[in-house]
Amino acid sequence: MSEKHSTLKLIQNGLSKHPESVLKAINLSVWINDSLILNDINLYVKRNRINCIIGPSGAGKSTLIRSFNRINDETDGLRAKGSIRFNGSDIYDKDVDTSWLRSRIGMVFQKPAVFPVSIKANVLMGIRHHRKLTRLEELQVSEKNLKAVSLWAEVSHRLDDKASSLSAGQQQRLCIARTLAVEPRVILLDEPTSALDPVSSKSIEDLLIRMKQNYTILFVTHNIPQARRIADELIFMCDGKIIEAGPKKQLFNHPRKEATKKYLGEDICDC
Amino acid sequence: MSRILKNRLFSGISWISLGICCLILVFLIAVIAWNGIKAINFDFLMSESRHFGASGGIYYQIVGSLLMVLVAALISLPLALGTAVYKSEYLKNSKLQMLSDSLIYGLNGIPSIVFGLFGLIFFVNILNTGISWFVGSVILAFMILPTIVLASYQSINSIPDHYRESALALGMDKWRVITTVLLPQGISGAVTGLLIGLARAVGETAPIMFIATAYSGARYPDSLLEPVAALPTHILALAQQATDPDALQAAWGASFVLICLVTLFSISALFIRKRTQILSER
Ligand SMILES: Nc1ncnc2c1ncn2[C@@H]1O[C@H](COP(=O)(O)OP(=O)(O)OP(=O)(O)O)[C@@H](O)[C@H]1O
Ligand SMILES: [Mg+2]
């Protein structure tokens, strides 16, 4: 793949080749059962920022974000071309251990999926697979990560209760906590608040803003006000393509493309 | 006919059908219980049968039946879980899915006497095992395998995908996802299927009568290759001497015990099914 060509593309897309990007997609195309879902995507995910992918339903946002930790490998009939670079090396290389990759690039889904075990066991579920913990470490890891998602005060007295006894918003924060416990560098979130009430959504938004100091965040939403509230970088997708990408202010105030203006202004997409 | 009348008619018919079903069941159980309970006492349950069952008890028949179905359970459960996991998590090709489905349903449709004949030809004649309770267990295990496979497959397959993906996204390997997330859920289905299967297996005569049981004199087996006594074959033998009132009485008693075992397995299956539907419910 020619680097020069793709850099040119990125500049056209309103992104400069930023040295601070940890994760980049280069000329990425994805087919599912021979229909083109992602069409030649070039995207730089910026370090310690909330990178927010927006776009109408069916634009390919989930397919794109799911490519970054190769959870897409599980999808039947999916085929990808191009590359995704994480700290410079291609995650689709043959010798990449997906288990390792996913411990570096964590993911939170739309519906919180807590396992039918205790709250503490949920936090430890992932990390336990990567290394052995002593009793003391187990407690420390639980406390640290539950504090990080502001859940500690609510659950510290009942760590051994079933996780399913928590509210949906609490469950989603628990899912974030168990992702953090694995100590990833990047966190992918696919519409993590769309199944939650406004108050829980707000607490997750606040959490993400705090988290960006330590993590790189790639976030999918189709809620424009939410993107306006928390995004640093915006990536506007439609119909499998990136229409425009850049700092939030630029896209909201001086979009280069008519389609961007229309989508962000009126929530209408006619691309 | 007015719509209201039609509605009444249909609900009436379905009520009557339900009533007939229940009545038959209640009638059967009542008759067996009524006749059987008279035969039941501590001695009957705890002593050896004598005079081809006409006197004495059914202790070794109970032991033999339980031994065979419990070992059948031990054989079929891991096989079924493995099959269910493979079918649900690895078998992606839809043609192979269909093929495996038809094989499993096919196995389920085989008449039990055919299992018995297969055991007789393959184990007893070709492998020369002789009459062996263990061969009986193996045959019973084959027979109940489809029930357990289907029940565990359903409970594993009904787990929503975002549980699998969440576990994988934490960096867990596929086998780890299977053992920590899917199997705990699958096992409740498997055990439900197992108990339903056992309820059927414990009452079957045909698969074991040629290959695993002796009509009299069998006690605790010393090895895998010895016959045992079993309840259903014992009842068959007693029924053949029904002119003797003592034998008839013992037949009622043994039938009652058998029905109790079947009910026990079925009710436990129901209970487990009720209790564990954690993941698939949300
Ligand atoms: N497993 C699949 N099989 C077939 N088609 C798929 C599959 N997953 C996604 N698609 C198709 O890919 C396109 C993009 O889907 P994707 O889920 O990435 O969109 P999205 O932007 O996340 O939408 P939403 O906002 O509704 O979540 C859609 O047209 C969808 O029908
Ligand atoms: Mg989506």
Side-chain angles (χ1 to χ4, degrees):
Chain A
M1 209 51 63
S2 97
E3 276 278 333
K4 229 181 208 162
H5 175 69
S6 54
T7 311
L8 211 72
K9 268 243 162 102
L10 283 162
I11 293 169
Q12 285 168 356
N13 278 339
L15 273 174
S16 59
K17 184 168 180 177
H18 202 288
E20 289 280 285
S21 70
V22 251
L23 199 57
K24 35 188 160 171
I26 299 166
N27 298 126
L28 179 73
S29 294
V30 169
W31 292 260
I32 299 180
N33 299 329
D34 291 325
S35 66
L36 185 62
I37 309 292
L38 295 180
N39 186 356
D40 200 26
I41 299 285
N42 285 284
L43 169 64
Y44 281 19
V45 179
K46 296 200 176 157
R47 189 186 303 258
N48 296 92
R49 299 273 196 287
I50 296 181
N51 300 264
C52 187
I53 304 178
I54 52 167
S57 188
K61 307 182 295 295
S62 298
T63 310
L64 176 59
I65 199 174
R66 288 161 57 88
S67 301
F68 284 109
N69 68 344
R70 291 186 53 179
I71 202 87
N72 257 352
D73 291 10
E74 298 300 307
T75 307
D76 294 330
L78 184 138
R79 190 160 54 84
K81 209 179 111 239
S83 69
I84 292 179
R85 298 191 164 267
F86 174 52
N87 288 335
S89 51
D90 191 345
I91 66 166
Y92 280 96
D93 266 352
K94 274 202 190 64
D95 53 356
V96 170
D97 175 7
T98 51
S99 174
W100 170 84
L101 178 74
R102 290 168 191 160
S103 74
R104 311 281 68 213
I105 304 179
M107 184 160 192
V108 176
F109 297 84
Q110 181 172 2
K111 278 195 198 150
V114 299
F115 301 113
V117 287
S118 71
I119 294 171
K120 191 169 106 200
N122 262 282
V123 179
L124 300 172
M125 197 82 167
I127 174 107
R128 260 186 191 150
H129 179 62
H130 296 284
R131 61 188 174 90
K132 268 229 150 359
L133 298 174
T134 64
R135 269 283 162 77
L136 182 66
E137 282 173 322
E138 285 185 353
L139 277 176
Q140 288 168 338
V141 169
S142 309
E143 179 171 349
K144 179 176 155 209
N145 293 293
L146 286 169
K147 276 183 174 159
V149 299
S150 318
L151 204 54
W152 181 250
E154 290 152 65
V155 304
S156 61
H157 57 285
R158 52 184 188 120
L159 290 178
D160 292 320
D161 285 10
K162 285 259 177 215
S164 50
S165 66
L166 298 172
S167 73
Q170 288 173 322
Q171 289 188 11
Q172 191 61 299
R173 277 184 281 158
L174 179 61
C175 289
I176 298 177
R178 79 182 173 202
T179 303
L180 297 184
V182 185
E183 299 176 357
R185 304 306 315 142
V186 181
I187 297 173
L188 314 169
L189 302 104
D190 191 354
E191 303 191 27
T193 64
S194 65
L196 304 182
D197 59 283
V199 177
S200 306
S201 300
K202 179 74 171 55
S203 76
I204 292 201
E205 288 176 15
D206 294 343
L207 174 61
L208 293 178
I209 291 173
R210 263 184 287 128
M211 272 164 45
K212 73 180 176 188
Q213 295 176 2
N214 301 318
Y215 305 93
T216 300
I217 293 172
L218 183 58
F219 180 86
V220 170
T221 181
H222 53 209
N223 179 339
I224 296 168
Q226 184 173 52
R228 191 191 288 275
R229 283 194 296 273
I230 66 169
D232 298 311
E233 301 288 323
L234 269 187
I235 299 112
F236 171 48
M237 279 185 77
C238 191
D239 199 22
K241 292 189 284 282
I242 293 183
I243 305 296
E244 190 170 352
K248 168 175 71 178
K249 287 215 179 76
Q250 182 192 318
L251 262 74
F252 272 110
N253 301 335
H254 312 286
R256 286 160 202 242
K257 298 268 172 67
E258 201 50 38
T260 315
K261 190 172 171 187
K262 196 149 190 191
Y263 183 72
L264 293 180
E266 303 162 41
D267 202 353
I268 298 170
C269 186
D270 50 17
C271 51
Chain B
M1 215 189 310
S2 81
R3 214 167 347 162
I4 299 177
L5 210 64
K6 249 186 194 164
N7 261 331
R8 289 233 174 105
L9 190 71
F10 277 118
S11 67
I13 290 176
S14 44
W15 266 107
I16 291 172
S17 321
L18 179 70
I20 291 176
C21 279
C22 291
L23 271 181
I24 293 174
L25 186 67
V26 168
F27 177 73
L28 263 175
I29 291 180
V31 167
I32 294 174
W34 176 253
N35 289 294
I37 224 154
K38 283 181 279 186
I40 305 276
N41 53 46
F42 185 77
D43 247 21
F44 184 68
L45 294 178
M46 295 309 290
S47 66
E48 191 179 352
S49 63
R50 285 185 300 274
H51 304 119
F52 295 99
S55 60
I58 54 168
Y59 177 70
Y60 288 108
Q61 280 75 16
I62 298 177
V63 169
S65 274
L66 285 180
L67 177 68
M68 267 193 293
V69 296
L70 291 182
V71 171
L74 289 182
I75 297 170
S76 54
L77 191 61
L79 264 178
L81 273 176
T83 312
V85 166
Y86 188 81
K87 213 169 122 51
S88 164
E89 305 304 312
Y90 291 95
L91 198 60
K92 290 283 149 75
N93 183 322
S94 63
K95 280 201 184 115
L96 288 179
Q97 274 285 0
M98 251 154 62
L99 181 69
S100 77
D101 273 343
S102 23
L103 285 178
I104 291 167
Y105 283 112
L107 191 61
N108 204 28
I110 293 178
S112 55
I113 183 75
V114 177
F115 279 103
L117 283 177
F118 169 75
L120 182 67
I121 295 166
F122 185 72
F123 287 101
V124 180
N125 290 350
I126 298 180
L127 295 184
N128 216 0
T129 55
I131 308 287
S132 148
W133 68 270
F134 185 69
V135 169
S137 287
V138 172
I139 291 294
L140 289 178
F142 287 168
M143 199 185 75
I144 62 177
L145 199 59
T147 314
I148 314 176
V149 169
L150 290 175
S152 5
Y153 172 74
Q154 264 166 18
S155 63
I156 292 176
N157 203 46
S158 69
I159 300 172
D161 270 341
H162 61 277
Y163 283 91
R164 293 177 180 79
E165 289 181 346
S166 295
L168 286 171
L170 289 170
M172 288 160 78
D173 293 327
K174 192 153 182 170
W175 66 266
R176 189 70 179 247
V177 177
I178 289 171
T179 52
T180 58
V181 180
L182 304 181
L183 275 185
Q185 178 76 359
I187 277 178
S188 72
V191 171
T192 310
L194 180 69
L195 288 164
I196 293 171
L198 290 186
R200 182 175 156 213
V202 77
E204 283 284 354
T205 320
I208 55 173
M209 59 193 290
F210 307 127
I211 56 171
T213 58
Y215 288 100
S216 63
R219 294 190 175 173
Y220 295 114
D222 293 324
S223 74
L224 295 181
L225 298 182
E226 274 178 23
V228 290
L231 280 172
T233 45
H234 186 63
I235 294 168
L236 180 68
L238 288 173
Q240 285 163 348
Q241 2 164 2
T243 43
D244 175 354
D246 287 339
L248 193 61
Q249 182 63 36
W252 285 117
S255 304
F256 183 64
V257 171
L258 186 57
I259 287 230
C260 288
L261 284 179
V262 171
T263 313
L264 192 73
F265 286 133
S266 306
I267 287 180
S268 333
L270 210 68
F271 181 72
I272 288 181
R273 189 176 206 98
K274 271 249 161 73
R275 243 178 44 125
T276 47
Q277 299 207 324
I278 327 153
L279 290 184
S280 38
E281 237 173 29
R282 12 182 97 254

